[in-house]
Amino acid sequence: MNSSPVPTTLEQATAAARALPLTVLQGPHAPDRSIGSIGVGFRLGGEETGGQLAIVEHPFPVGALVPPHVHTREDEFSIVTAGTIGFRSGPDEVVLEAGGYIAKPRGELHTMWNAGDTEARMIEIITPAGFEHFFFELAELVAAGPPNPTDLETLATAYGLFIDPTWVPDLMHRYNLNSPFG
């Protein structure tokens, strides 16, 4: 808990100056990178947010399915910005269109897929920051060619991520999706 006194005046509130550097990310952004079935665009990382959160953007091609997985270190909050994206988190399943939001808590198996017939996009807020580095390392593996499953498992384990393919056949069948495993 913070033991600093709570500011009661404008002067007190601004005396400490910025806690974080002013970060401006003007568009257009760098091209998205492939991380397998979807892409990733890096927007803000822990370096810019004092480790509080990271923001990435994910394009979902038609038929894309993210492997069901569990995070052990971070929570994710997603905002659909284009198209239609389906989400399953634990026993709950929902399909969201642009403007829809969803919270995916750590410790709960979840997955996402393009639930429409056009490319979809979402912004992902990750808290605390750090998991954006997983996406960067995964993009590097994918760019070098089809990743070795052992390398993928080692990378996932290093970030406290566990994959469970149990839901994949059902989701592929019901939504006409591509396999997330290539």
Side-chain angles (χ1 to χ4, degrees), residues 2 10 18 32 54 58-59 62 73 81 87 89 114 116 121 124 165 168 174 180:
N2 188 351
L10 176 61
R18 291 185 174 144
D32 297 322
H58 294 296
V62 173
R73 301 176 187 161
T81 59
F87 296 89
S89 191
N114 183 324
R121 291 184 82 82
E124 187 115 81
V168 169
R174 285 193 293 133

PDB file of all heavy atoms in Angstrom, residues 2 10 18 32 54 58-59 62 73 81 87 89 114 116 121 124 165 168 174 180:
ATOM      1  N   ASN A   2       0.487   2.270  -0.701  1.00  0.00           N
ATOM      2  CA  ASN A   2       1.241   3.510  -0.807  1.00  0.00           C
ATOM      3  C   ASN A   2       1.058   4.332   0.468  1.00  0.00           C
ATOM      4  O   ASN A   2      -0.063   4.627   0.860  1.00  0.00           O
ATOM      5  CB  ASN A   2       0.758   4.291  -2.029  1.00  0.00           C
ATOM      6  CG  ASN A   2       1.619   5.503  -2.317  1.00  0.00           C
ATOM      7  OD1 ASN A   2       2.470   5.875  -1.533  1.00  0.00           O
ATOM      8  ND2 ASN A   2       1.373   6.108  -3.468  1.00  0.00           N
ATOM      9  N   LEU A  10      -3.834  21.247  -6.350  1.00  0.00           N
ATOM     10  CA  LEU A  10      -3.242  21.106  -7.672  1.00  0.00           C
ATOM     11  C   LEU A  10      -1.721  21.128  -7.585  1.00  0.00           C
ATOM     12  O   LEU A  10      -1.040  20.321  -8.223  1.00  0.00           O
ATOM     13  CB  LEU A  10      -3.743  22.220  -8.600  1.00  0.00           C
ATOM     14  CG  LEU A  10      -3.135  22.253 -10.002  1.00  0.00           C
ATOM     15  CD1 LEU A  10      -3.442  20.976 -10.766  1.00  0.00           C
ATOM     16  CD2 LEU A  10      -3.621  23.469 -10.768  1.00  0.00           C
ATOM     17  N   ARG A  18       5.741  13.883 -13.989  1.00  0.00           N
ATOM     18  CA  ARG A  18       5.272  12.647 -14.627  1.00  0.00           C
ATOM     19  C   ARG A  18       5.849  11.417 -13.949  1.00  0.00           C
ATOM     20  O   ARG A  18       7.041  11.331 -13.711  1.00  0.00           O
ATOM     21  CB  ARG A  18       5.682  12.626 -16.086  1.00  0.00           C
ATOM     22  CG  ARG A  18       4.970  13.622 -16.932  1.00  0.00           C
ATOM     23  CD  ARG A  18       5.367  13.434 -18.387  1.00  0.00           C
ATOM     24  NE  ARG A  18       4.541  14.319 -19.204  1.00  0.00           N
ATOM     25  CZ  ARG A  18       4.961  14.933 -20.276  1.00  0.00           C
ATOM     26  NH1 ARG A  18       6.204  14.766 -20.685  1.00  0.00           N
ATOM     27  NH2 ARG A  18       4.150  15.708 -20.952  1.00  0.00           N
ATOM     28  N   ASP A  32       1.900  -5.505 -39.153  1.00  0.00           N
ATOM     29  CA  ASP A  32       1.652  -6.618 -38.246  1.00  0.00           C
ATOM     30  C   ASP A  32       2.614  -7.749 -38.575  1.00  0.00           C
ATOM     31  O   ASP A  32       3.069  -7.888 -39.711  1.00  0.00           O
ATOM     32  CB  ASP A  32       0.211  -7.122 -38.408  1.00  0.00           C
ATOM     33  CG  ASP A  32      -0.817  -6.067 -38.035  1.00  0.00           C
ATOM     34  OD1 ASP A  32      -0.576  -5.322 -37.070  1.00  0.00           O
ATOM     35  OD2 ASP A  32      -1.853  -6.003 -38.712  1.00  0.00           O
ATOM     36  N   ALA A  54       0.460  -3.709 -21.226  1.00  0.00           N
ATOM     37  CA  ALA A  54       0.933  -3.693 -22.605  1.00  0.00           C
ATOM     38  C   ALA A  54      -0.297  -3.698 -23.502  1.00  0.00           C
ATOM     39  O   ALA A  54      -1.356  -4.215 -23.125  1.00  0.00           O
ATOM     40  CB  ALA A  54       1.801  -4.910 -22.906  1.00  0.00           C
ATOM     41  N   HIS A  58      -4.335  -7.432 -32.691  1.00  0.00           N
ATOM     42  CA  HIS A  58      -4.323  -8.710 -33.395  1.00  0.00           C
ATOM     43  C   HIS A  58      -5.259  -8.698 -34.596  1.00  0.00           C
ATOM     44  O   HIS A  58      -6.465  -8.521 -34.423  1.00  0.00           O
ATOM     45  CB  HIS A  58      -4.777  -9.852 -32.474  1.00  0.00           C
ATOM     46  CG  HIS A  58      -3.874 -10.148 -31.339  1.00  0.00           C
ATOM     47  ND1 HIS A  58      -2.588 -10.617 -31.512  1.00  0.00           N
ATOM     48  CD2 HIS A  58      -4.060 -10.060 -30.003  1.00  0.00           C
ATOM     49  CE1 HIS A  58      -2.034 -10.813 -30.318  1.00  0.00           C
ATOM     50  NE2 HIS A  58      -2.901 -10.474 -29.394  1.00  0.00           N
ATOM     51  N   PRO A  59      -4.730  -8.910 -35.811  1.00  0.00           N
ATOM     52  CA  PRO A  59      -5.597  -9.172 -36.953  1.00  0.00           C
ATOM     53  C   PRO A  59      -5.925 -10.675 -36.986  1.00  0.00           C
ATOM     54  O   PRO A  59      -5.058 -11.510 -36.727  1.00  0.00           O
ATOM     55  CB  PRO A  59      -4.748  -8.772 -38.158  1.00  0.00           C
ATOM     56  CG  PRO A  59      -3.344  -8.956 -37.699  1.00  0.00           C
ATOM     57  CD  PRO A  59      -3.337  -8.717 -36.213  1.00  0.00           C
ATOM     58  N   VAL A  62      -9.814 -14.657 -41.905  1.00  0.00           N
ATOM     59  CA  VAL A  62     -10.978 -15.543 -41.938  1.00  0.00           C
ATOM     60  C   VAL A  62     -10.517 -16.962 -41.625  1.00  0.00           C
ATOM     61  O   VAL A  62      -9.494 -17.428 -42.142  1.00  0.00           O
ATOM     62  CB  VAL A  62     -11.657 -15.472 -43.324  1.00  0.00           C
ATOM     63  CG1 VAL A  62     -12.765 -16.513 -43.437  1.00  0.00           C
ATOM     64  CG2 VAL A  62     -12.204 -14.071 -43.568  1.00  0.00           C
ATOM     65  N   ARG A  73       0.096 -15.524 -15.331  1.00  0.00           N
ATOM     66  CA  ARG A  73       0.706 -14.294 -14.808  1.00  0.00           C
ATOM     67  C   ARG A  73      -0.038 -13.014 -15.152  1.00  0.00           C
ATOM     68  O   ARG A  73       0.260 -11.966 -14.577  1.00  0.00           O
ATOM     69  CB  ARG A  73       2.131 -14.167 -15.349  1.00  0.00           C
ATOM     70  CG  ARG A  73       3.008 -15.328 -14.982  1.00  0.00           C
ATOM     71  CD  ARG A  73       4.374 -15.206 -15.603  1.00  0.00           C
ATOM     72  NE  ARG A  73       5.133 -16.416 -15.365  1.00  0.00           N
ATOM     73  CZ  ARG A  73       6.185 -16.770 -16.058  1.00  0.00           C
ATOM     74  NH1 ARG A  73       6.611 -16.006 -17.043  1.00  0.00           N
ATOM     75  NH2 ARG A  73       6.810 -17.889 -15.778  1.00  0.00           N
ATOM     76  N   THR A  81     -12.326  -4.393 -32.752  1.00  0.00           N
ATOM     77  CA  THR A  81     -12.337  -3.130 -33.502  1.00  0.00           C
ATOM     78  C   THR A  81     -12.823  -3.284 -34.931  1.00  0.00           C
ATOM     79  O   THR A  81     -13.144  -2.287 -35.576  1.00  0.00           O
ATOM     80  CB  THR A  81     -10.937  -2.480 -33.504  1.00  0.00           C
ATOM     81  OG1 THR A  81     -10.005  -3.395 -34.090  1.00  0.00           O
ATOM     82  CG2 THR A  81     -10.500  -2.121 -32.093  1.00  0.00           C
ATOM     83  N   PHE A  87     -15.294 -15.758 -28.686  1.00  0.00           N
ATOM     84  CA  PHE A  87     -14.475 -15.984 -27.501  1.00  0.00           C
ATOM     85  C   PHE A  87     -15.091 -17.120 -26.694  1.00  0.00           C
ATOM     86  O   PHE A  87     -16.312 -17.190 -26.554  1.00  0.00           O
ATOM     87  CB  PHE A  87     -14.453 -14.742 -26.601  1.00  0.00           C
ATOM     88  CG  PHE A  87     -13.817 -13.540 -27.213  1.00  0.00           C
ATOM     89  CD1 PHE A  87     -14.568 -12.646 -27.956  1.00  0.00           C
ATOM     90  CD2 PHE A  87     -12.463 -13.279 -27.035  1.00  0.00           C
ATOM     91  CE1 PHE A  87     -13.995 -11.524 -28.520  1.00  0.00           C
ATOM     92  CE2 PHE A  87     -11.881 -12.155 -27.597  1.00  0.00           C
ATOM     93  CZ  PHE A  87     -12.646 -11.284 -28.341  1.00  0.00           C
ATOM     94  N   SER A  89     -14.263 -18.599 -22.817  1.00  0.00           N
ATOM     95  CA  SER A  89     -13.474 -18.483 -21.597  1.00  0.00           C
ATOM     96  C   SER A  89     -14.156 -19.356 -20.559  1.00  0.00           C
ATOM     97  O   SER A  89     -15.301 -19.081 -20.170  1.00  0.00           O
ATOM     98  CB  SER A  89     -13.407 -17.020 -21.132  1.00  0.00           C
ATOM     99  OG  SER A  89     -12.456 -16.853 -20.097  1.00  0.00           O
ATOM    100  N   ASN A 114     -11.953 -16.019 -35.520  1.00  0.00           N
ATOM    101  CA  ASN A 114     -12.685 -15.142 -36.418  1.00  0.00           C
ATOM    102  C   ASN A 114     -14.029 -15.813 -36.671  1.00  0.00           C
ATOM    103  O   ASN A 114     -14.090 -16.896 -37.243  1.00  0.00           O
ATOM    104  CB  ASN A 114     -11.923 -14.927 -37.726  1.00  0.00           C
ATOM    105  CG  ASN A 114     -12.625 -13.954 -38.648  1.00  0.00           C
ATOM    106  OD1 ASN A 114     -13.847 -13.917 -38.726  1.00  0.00           O
ATOM    107  ND2 ASN A 114     -11.850 -13.161 -39.361  1.00  0.00           N
ATOM    108  N   GLY A 116     -16.510 -14.500 -38.446  1.00  0.00           N
ATOM    109  CA  GLY A 116     -17.178 -13.889 -39.591  1.00  0.00           C
ATOM    110  C   GLY A 116     -16.552 -14.306 -40.902  1.00  0.00           C
ATOM    111  O   GLY A 116     -15.742 -15.230 -40.962  1.00  0.00           O
ATOM    112  N   ARG A 121     -10.343  -7.698 -36.254  1.00  0.00           N
ATOM    113  CA  ARG A 121      -9.211  -7.148 -35.492  1.00  0.00           C
ATOM    114  C   ARG A 121      -9.662  -6.894 -34.064  1.00  0.00           C
ATOM    115  O   ARG A 121     -10.827  -6.588 -33.814  1.00  0.00           O
ATOM    116  CB  ARG A 121      -8.727  -5.833 -36.091  1.00  0.00           C
ATOM    117  CG  ARG A 121      -8.061  -5.985 -37.443  1.00  0.00           C
ATOM    118  CD  ARG A 121      -7.507  -4.673 -37.972  1.00  0.00           C
ATOM    119  NE  ARG A 121      -6.205  -4.363 -37.410  1.00  0.00           N
ATOM    120  CZ  ARG A 121      -5.044  -4.854 -37.839  1.00  0.00           C
ATOM    121  NH1 ARG A 121      -5.010  -5.701 -38.818  1.00  0.00           N
ATOM    122  NH2 ARG A 121      -3.916  -4.488 -37.285  1.00  0.00           N
ATOM    123  N   GLU A 124      -5.750  -5.780 -27.626  1.00  0.00           N
ATOM    124  CA  GLU A 124      -5.604  -6.556 -26.397  1.00  0.00           C
ATOM    125  C   GLU A 124      -4.806  -5.739 -25.391  1.00  0.00           C
ATOM    126  O   GLU A 124      -3.705  -5.283 -25.693  1.00  0.00           O
ATOM    127  CB  GLU A 124      -4.868  -7.855 -26.706  1.00  0.00           C
ATOM    128  CG  GLU A 124      -4.807  -8.797 -25.547  1.00  0.00           C
ATOM    129  CD  GLU A 124      -5.589 -10.047 -25.854  1.00  0.00           C
ATOM    130  OE1 GLU A 124      -5.036 -10.914 -26.534  1.00  0.00           O
ATOM    131  OE2 GLU A 124      -6.745 -10.146 -25.425  1.00  0.00           O
ATOM    132  N   PRO A 165      -5.491 -28.330 -26.287  1.00  0.00           N
ATOM    133  CA  PRO A 165      -6.192 -28.395 -27.578  1.00  0.00           C
ATOM    134  C   PRO A 165      -7.580 -29.041 -27.519  1.00  0.00           C
ATOM    135  O   PRO A 165      -8.217 -29.227 -28.554  1.00  0.00           O
ATOM    136  CB  PRO A 165      -5.235 -29.216 -28.432  1.00  0.00           C
ATOM    137  CG  PRO A 165      -4.568 -30.127 -27.453  1.00  0.00           C
ATOM    138  CD  PRO A 165      -4.406 -29.300 -26.193  1.00  0.00           C
ATOM    139  N   VAL A 168     -10.437 -27.618 -29.684  1.00  0.00           N
ATOM    140  CA  VAL A 168     -10.140 -27.304 -31.088  1.00  0.00           C
ATOM    141  C   VAL A 168     -11.038 -28.047 -32.072  1.00  0.00           C
ATOM    142  O   VAL A 168     -11.636 -27.418 -32.963  1.00  0.00           O
ATOM    143  CB  VAL A 168      -8.643 -27.510 -31.392  1.00  0.00           C
ATOM    144  CG1 VAL A 168      -8.368 -27.451 -32.887  1.00  0.00           C
ATOM    145  CG2 VAL A 168      -7.817 -26.463 -30.647  1.00  0.00           C
ATOM    146  N   ARG A 174     -17.800 -26.490 -35.700  1.00  0.00           N
ATOM    147  CA  ARG A 174     -18.955 -25.587 -35.565  1.00  0.00           C
ATOM    148  C   ARG A 174     -18.800 -24.278 -36.322  1.00  0.00           C
ATOM    149  O   ARG A 174     -19.775 -23.707 -36.787  1.00  0.00           O
ATOM    150  CB  ARG A 174     -19.234 -25.285 -34.086  1.00  0.00           C
ATOM    151  CG  ARG A 174     -19.887 -26.444 -33.368  1.00  0.00           C
ATOM    152  CD  ARG A 174     -20.436 -26.054 -32.024  1.00  0.00           C
ATOM    153  NE  ARG A 174     -19.391 -25.698 -31.078  1.00  0.00           N
ATOM    154  CZ  ARG A 174     -19.410 -24.612 -30.310  1.00  0.00           C
ATOM    155  NH1 ARG A 174     -20.393 -23.754 -30.368  1.00  0.00           N
ATOM    156  NH2 ARG A 174     -18.418 -24.382 -29.475  1.00  0.00           N
ATOM    157  N   PRO A 180      -5.352 -24.311 -35.623  1.00  0.00           N
ATOM    158  CA  PRO A 180      -4.340 -23.362 -35.151  1.00  0.00           C
ATOM    159  C   PRO A 180      -2.940 -23.962 -35.113  1.00  0.00           C
ATOM    160  O   PRO A 180      -1.969 -23.263 -34.840  1.00  0.00           O
ATOM    161  CB  PRO A 180      -4.823 -23.007 -33.744  1.00  0.00           C
ATOM    162  CG  PRO A 180      -5.544 -24.235 -33.286  1.00  0.00           C
ATOM    163  CD  PRO A 180      -6.197 -24.797 -34.535  1.00  0.00           C
TER     164      PRO A 180
END
